[in-house]
Amino acid sequence: MSKRVVSAPHDLTTSSGFILPALVAARLALALLQPFDLTHDHHLSSPLTSYANLQEGIYLFKQDIDPYSGGIVRHSPLYLTLFTTILPNSRFSAALLWTLCDALGAYAMMNIYRARQGIKTSSRDGLVAAMYLLNPYLFLPSLALSTSSIENALVLLSIMFASQRKPSQTLLVYAFLLHVSLSSFLFLAPLLLLLISEPFSHLASPRAFSGDFKKLPPLLGEFAVCFISLTMASTLISGGFSWIGQTWGASLTLPDLTPNVGVWWYFFTEMFDHFRPFFLMVFSVHLLIYIAPICIKFQYDMLYAIFLLAGILGTFKAFPTLSDPGLFLSMISLFPETYPYLRYPIVTSLLHLHAALLLPLFHHLWLSQGTGNANFFYASTLVFACANGAAVIDCVWAGLRIAIGEEKEGIVIAQE
Amino acid sequence: MFLSFTATLTKAWSFFLILWLTSCLYVSGEYHEHETEVKDFFQRNGSSTHTNNWAVLVCSSRYWFNYRHMSNALGMYRTVKRLGIPDSNIILMLADDSACNSRNKFPASVYANAGRNLDLYGSNIEVDYRGYEVTVENFLRVLTGRLPESVPRSKRLLSDSNSNIFVYMTGHGGNEFLKFQDSEEVSAHDIADAFEQMWQGGRYNEIFFMIDTCQANTMYSKFYSPNILATGSSLEGENSYSYENDHDLGVSVIDSYTHYVLEFMENVNKTSRLTMGDLFTSYNVPKIASHPGIRSDLFPRPLGGGEALHDYGRGSGWRHPGEWVGREQEKSKKGSEALITDFFGGVVGVDIEEDTSDAHHTEASSDSVPKERTKAEKKGVKASPYLAQRTTKTRSWINLKELRAWSSFLIVGLLVGLVWARQS
């Protein structure tokens, strides 16, 4: 156990209870006021998560036209299920719904932190919630009504249920998540392993995997039942199987080359057709190859493995928005034990600041003003990928370094 | 524990399997219903069912002294454009350029009357085949659509099975032939075979064939494909004559049959309901100086024209009997009458008639509108019963997509409820 237990500089116990409601209320006020229309921003929503495309899908469904017969609607049919039945479909209700998702995400983060520390309440609760709600990478896409906020809430909820050892809830929420975003497949293995192990911090004392593998098959079976019944519900509402190619297939075949903050789109705009299948395979496999090594290396602390995979996803996903790396950055608040061991947090933060300034600037220069071209924006996405990569690598380093402990006089830690 | 788990698993599986099968049935049933509705819309009996209009206007003779043939074609071109067929749907073939002929005292203009009141050439005409491109081969290739890939779209007849085509030919002709360019001829059999190829290829809905040459009526005598209405300017063995000369140009400027047809067309506008029968009854034999003929035995719809059409070819004014092939079938024809605008204009005159009782119920409020309405408005009112019929039909039993949405939501809710209840 690390000697440096991080404690708050001043007592937040009395005020932390008010932080979450206050921030949620502020979020709600901002959403209802709607000072700008961010719905069409390329950084905040992608073709898979855009609110405009969701509205298109709902409209087409209501006109008795198959929403998945064209190339616009790439949202899961489960969204159609909810928005055409119980959820109202207006800007006002959308503001409420997205604020609710943010609140749920913050609540889940608080509970993950509490589960990891093994305490019922803590003085840092408010700080953790604030890290989620005040992160501009997260609240801007939420104001833009991008469904990536819903995806983030689902990720955090499933991790929360896993940390609280509630397998049914975990698997159901994760089944929803996998339906909504195929890239979250990366979380399947670590979530299941987290369910059968524990969320406590063992970063400083690595050991072999502590869970019982015999518990895995029933969990997998239950997940399969949830997943298949959700598939049937989706097939039922969309009246066919075309939704599979349009929603999940989009992450695999990249049919839409709308610019976003990721690195896939530019690569595939300049690619010859006969190389396309190969590189699509390479990019998809690139995401999959991280699962096994990270889960094996961090088998003593699966929560940290999930955190790192969220970072990988945020950097290398097919249609990312700012929410995906934003989730990773906010989740850093769950692992305060690693802060002393980060090697270059300043560099990473400055890179992120740099990218955050360049991305909208070059996007405007390219698409609004017309004095730049796509290379400008692509360069800024490269800087952003650099920043994300630096953050992930530094967190991997810190997670491993913490096991070695503090430096002592006269002893140098070298890598063989 | 594992056995009980598999038992619950199979129970859950069977429930979902049944649900999935029923949903597949719903889906397939709905698709079939859409198809029949769409088919019905396009195959209604008794009204003109065309959706687009085309015109093929051919002047087949060259040289300055055949000025009148070019102005025939250009006059038809102007009328057809005025009544609504766009340039993209007109194939104009002029074998010679009389506007830019060195003998033309009024360069860049072509006139069709003696006082040179109306310039038919203008600055807004589109000649698709000019000069030596007007050959029998090109004409037949345009009709049948068998053109090489390099031919641009403007030179193609891109008609489909819902197109009404107006084919007008003028030049020097004889008994079952028409002379092209003073060097070759097309025979009535060739054109009849070309029309049959078009019918087999689904390239027309109805054809109106008009020809102004000597012994013109022989040119349509060999047709054998359905849905063709034909008219010509003179009988076998009879010449067609020009109408008038212009003294400054020094040539005849228009043929008399075409002149009177164009004069009749001046009374037609896009929304008029004058019928083909009205056109035929307007033929005045002493004025035209030849006996125009009609062939309507291949044409399924009645020609209109009222009582006057019964005397066609037989009344006073006919120096000897005129020709109307298909006179006997005229009485027994059913359906809506063939309008001028069916061939010379657009789809303004196409009616969408509903004869189901559902439509009358929904149209009850609109029935009381006054009769004096323009064509477009009438079409607008009549178009809505189709939509009204659709929605009433889907509302009369369960609304399918809502059922699907709610049953899908039910599955999701069931899952959430199950997990909530277990609380494990």
Side-chain angles (χ1 to χ4, degrees):
Chain A
M1 208 64 178
S2 170
K3 224 170 57 171
R4 293 176 59 145
V5 174
V6 181
S7 58
H10 56 272
D11 190 5
L12 290 169
T13 327
T14 49
S15 57
S16 69
F18 294 104
I19 290 185
L20 179 61
L23 287 173
V24 170
R27 251 297 273 112
L28 185 62
L30 203 61
L32 290 173
L33 277 174
Q34 283 184 8
F36 333 97
D37 182 19
L38 296 165
T39 332
H40 300 281
D41 198 298
H42 285 149
H43 311 90
L44 307 176
S45 48
S46 66
L48 262 57
T49 60
S50 158
Y51 183 69
N53 291 0
L54 178 64
Q55 291 302 304
E56 173 93 8
I58 296 171
Y59 176 80
L60 287 175
F61 180 79
K62 288 198 171 134
Q63 304 297 318
D64 261 333
I65 303 170
D66 181 17
Y68 300 101
S69 55
I72 303 274
V73 183
R74 303 211 179 270
H75 289 265
S76 166
L78 294 176
Y79 284 117
L80 288 180
T81 313
L82 291 172
F83 279 98
T84 56
T85 51
I86 49 163
L87 289 176
N89 188 23
S90 67
R91 276 298 186 120
F92 174 73
S93 63
L96 289 176
L97 184 66
W98 260 259
T99 312
L100 179 67
C101 285
D102 278 355
L104 275 176
Y107 175 74
M109 274 202 37
M110 271 171 38
N111 282 334
I112 298 171
Y113 181 75
R114 288 171 184 164
R116 185 168 172 81
Q117 302 293 330
I119 48 182
K120 286 271 186 324
T121 57
S122 101
S123 54
R124 287 177 63 93
D125 278 351
L127 206 58
V128 168
M131 276 287 281
Y132 186 79
L133 287 169
L134 289 177
N135 186 351
Y137 283 172
L138 288 174
F139 82 73
L140 282 176
S142 178
L143 282 178
L145 300 178
S146 161
T147 57
S148 50
S149 310
I150 301 182
E151 288 168 23
N152 280 356
L154 287 173
V155 171
L156 288 171
L157 277 174
S158 57
I159 301 176
M160 172 183 96
F161 286 130
S163 310
Q164 294 170 343
R165 327 287 186 87
K166 295 178 181 165
S168 298
Q169 287 94 316
T170 311
L171 295 172
L172 180 62
V173 174
Y174 182 69
F176 270 109
L177 176 65
L178 193 55
H179 258 272
V180 163
S181 142
L182 187 69
S183 321
S184 345
F185 180 74
L186 262 69
F187 294 128
L188 178 63
L191 257 182
L192 288 174
L193 292 173
L194 179 61
L195 265 176
I196 61 177
S197 63
E198 47 184 33
F200 305 121
S201 172
H202 284 280
L203 284 177
S205 48
R207 56 178 191 186
F209 186 66
S210 63
D212 186 10
F213 283 110
K214 287 198 210 55
K215 292 196 218 144
L216 265 186
L219 288 176
L220 271 172
E222 196 176 332
F223 170 69
V225 169
C226 289
F227 185 71
I228 290 173
S229 30
L230 283 178
T231 310
M232 282 189 188
S234 304
T235 311
L236 186 60
I237 190 170
S238 90
F241 287 99
S242 52
W243 64 274
I244 298 182
Q246 292 285 315
T247 56
W248 296 338
S251 303
L252 298 172
T253 59
L254 215 78
D256 194 324
L257 291 174
T258 311
N260 49 57
V261 295
V263 292
W264 287 50
W265 64 275
Y266 188 84
F267 206 82
F268 283 94
T269 55
E270 53 179 15
M271 176 171 299
F272 292 119
D273 276 339
H274 50 271
F275 287 129
R276 225 183 129 87
F278 171 68
F279 278 105
L280 284 169
M281 186 268 298
V282 165
F283 275 55
S284 300
V285 166
H286 175 76
L287 281 173
L288 294 173
I289 55 174
Y290 287 101
I291 307 177
I294 290 186
C295 290
I296 294 172
K297 189 67 188 169
F298 287 97
Q299 57 190 266
Y300 45 89
D301 197 338
M302 290 312 301
L303 200 54
Y304 204 72
I306 297 180
F307 163 65
L308 291 174
L309 283 171
I312 301 280
L313 214 53
T315 319
F316 298 117
K317 205 168 133 172
F319 286 101
T321 62
L322 283 180
S323 324
D324 303 300
L327 177 68
F328 170 70
L329 291 175
S330 292
M331 278 176 84
I332 288 185
S333 60
L334 300 171
F335 309 101
E337 61 265 25
T338 59
Y339 295 166
Y341 298 98
L342 290 169
R343 274 189 305 179
Y344 42 82
I346 305 271
V347 178
T348 311
S349 332
L350 286 177
L351 271 174
H352 261 289
L353 186 66
H354 192 46
L357 290 172
L358 283 183
L359 278 169
L361 176 66
F362 282 154
H363 185 267
H364 172 82
L365 222 56
W366 171 33
L367 288 173
S368 313
Q369 204 167 307
T371 52
N373 57 43
N375 294 315
F376 285 45
F377 184 63
Y378 172 58
S380 58
T381 61
L382 284 181
V383 174
F384 190 60
C386 212
N388 284 326
V392 173
I393 291 173
D394 212 8
C395 289
V396 171
W397 169 268
L400 295 172
R401 174 72 178 78
I402 196 177
I404 301 178
E406 277 183 54
E407 284 198 38
K408 294 197 180 61
E409 283 288 330
I411 299 178
V412 168
I413 298 170
Q415 193 172 346
E416 282 200 23
Chain B
M1 186 224 92
F2 198 64
L3 283 172
S4 69
F5 178 67
T6 48
T8 50
L9 202 63
T10 46
K11 269 188 236 156
W13 262 109
S14 49
F15 168 66
F16 288 126
L17 198 67
I18 293 170
L19 207 63
W20 181 70
L21 283 171
T22 47
S23 70
C24 285
L25 283 170
Y26 277 134
V27 164
S28 56
E30 192 185 64
Y31 173 69
H32 195 63
E33 185 192 89
H34 272 289
E35 262 210 64
T36 46
E37 274 185 35
V38 170
K39 270 207 183 114
D40 277 339
F41 176 71
F42 281 111
Q43 283 178 8
R44 258 169 240 295
N45 297 327
S47 72
S48 175
T49 51
H50 68 285
T51 59
N52 54 84
N53 283 69
W54 286 80
V56 179
L57 311 171
V58 181
C59 157
S60 62
S61 50
R62 59 173 26 240
Y63 305 124
W64 173 246
F65 49 82
N66 291 322
Y67 183 100
R68 62 190 185 282
H69 296 146
M70 275 159 273
S71 59
N72 284 354
L74 284 167
M76 272 303 168
Y77 173 79
R78 176 189 162 268
T79 298
V80 147
K81 259 178 88 163
R82 178 179 65 82
L83 290 175
I85 303 185
D87 268 319
S88 55
N89 286 22
I90 302 177
I91 308 269
L92 177 61
M93 301 170 100
L94 295 180
D96 200 0
D97 191 359
S98 49
C100 300
N101 194 305
S102 48
R103 287 161 126 176
N104 192 347
K105 200 166 157 198
F106 306 95
S109 348
V110 173
Y111 298 103
N113 68 321
R116 296 183 307 278
N117 293 329
L118 179 64
D119 179 13
L120 294 174
Y121 208 71
S123 58
N124 193 21
I125 70 165
E126 213 175 270
V127 183
D128 300 301
Y129 287 84
R130 52 182 73 242
Y132 286 110
E133 289 171 0
V134 179
T135 61
V136 172
E137 182 189 347
N138 280 352
F139 171 62
L140 293 176
R141 281 190 181 278
V142 160
L143 284 182
T144 54
R146 296 160 72 126
L147 291 157
E149 277 187 30
S150 53
V151 172
R153 283 178 74 90
S154 59
K155 282 177 149 165
R156 288 177 184 266
L157 181 66
L158 297 167
S159 55
D160 54 28
S161 55
N162 293 319
S163 307
N164 275 11
I165 310 182
F166 170 53
V167 182
Y168 175 80
M169 306 187 75
T170 181
H172 288 289
N175 193 346
E176 293 178 11
F177 71 89
L178 173 67
K179 190 169 74 156
F180 266 67
Q181 301 274 10
D182 217 20
S183 61
E184 56 179 359
E185 50 195 49
V186 67
S187 89
H189 292 278
D190 294 332
I191 305 185
D193 288 338
F195 283 166
E196 176 64 14
Q197 281 193 50
M198 289 172 77
W199 175 252
Q200 297 284 344
R203 281 171 65 76
Y204 72 89
N205 178 35
E206 288 167 352
I207 289 183
F208 177 49
F209 182 78
M210 183 187 278
I211 179 160
D212 186 0
T213 66
C214 302
Q215 305 187 56
N217 296 356
T218 57
M219 283 303 281
Y220 60 67
S221 58
K222 298 297 175 206
F223 294 159
Y224 56 95
S225 313
N227 292 5
I228 301 182
L229 177 65
T231 180
S233 61
S234 49
L235 297 167
E236 181 182 347
E238 190 182 34
N239 290 343
S240 290
Y241 295 99
S242 66
Y243 180 63
E244 59 183 6
N245 277 32
D246 179 85
H247 297 294
D248 288 313
L249 279 169
V251 281
S252 306
V253 290
I254 191 86
D255 276 332
S256 67
Y257 172 75
T258 304
H259 168 85
Y260 283 105
V261 167
L262 289 175
E263 201 175 81
F264 174 83
M265 288 300 175
E266 287 302 306
N267 296 326
V268 178
N269 61 21
K270 286 184 186 176
T271 60
S272 73
R273 297 203 70 107
L274 288 170
T275 61
M276 298 306 290
D278 292 328
L279 168 66
F280 299 145
T281 50
S282 74
Y283 290 161
N284 187 326
V285 171
K287 284 189 181 172
I288 296 178
S290 59
H291 292 75
I294 313 175
R295 182 170 177 187
S296 65
D297 60 325
L298 297 167
F299 193 70
R301 293 193 288 139
L303 300 174
E307 288 294 321
L309 194 61
H310 293 206
D311 285 335
Y312 184 85
R314 289 200 283 238
S316 65
W318 292 86
R319 292 197 213 109
H320 41 93
E323 183 186 281
W324 180 2
V325 179
R327 185 194 296 269
E328 304 77 26
Q329 290 101 319
E330 185 62 24
K331 282 186 260 324
S332 54
K333 282 186 184 166
K334 287 191 184 44
S336 69
E337 297 172 341
L339 303 174
I340 304 271
T341 49
D342 283 346
F343 296 102
F344 279 83
V347 292
V348 173
V350 175
D351 278 343
I352 309 172
E353 299 276 357
E354 286 287 336
D355 48 8
T356 61
S357 54
D358 273 341
H360 287 312
H361 282 307
T362 53
E363 223 195 323
S365 56
S366 51
D367 268 348
S368 54
V369 295
K371 288 237 164 156
E372 298 301 314
R373 304 188 91 194
T374 61
K375 222 16 146 41
E377 269 184 79
K378 236 181 169 180
K379 182 186 176 266
V381 164
K382 284 221 171 107
S384 55
Y386 173 70
L387 291 168
Q389 188 198 31
R390 264 193 77 207
T391 46
T392 47
K393 219 167 179 178
T394 48
R395 241 181 249 133
S396 63
W397 52 291
I398 320 163
N399 200 345
L400 184 66
K401 65 174 190 306
E402 277 191 30
L403 177 75
R404 286 207 324 253
W406 280 102
S407 48
S408 166
F409 177 71
L410 212 72
I411 297 179
V412 170
L414 207 74
L415 268 179
V416 175
L418 271 172
V419 165
W420 194 304
R422 281 180 63 181
Q423 290 283 10
S424 60

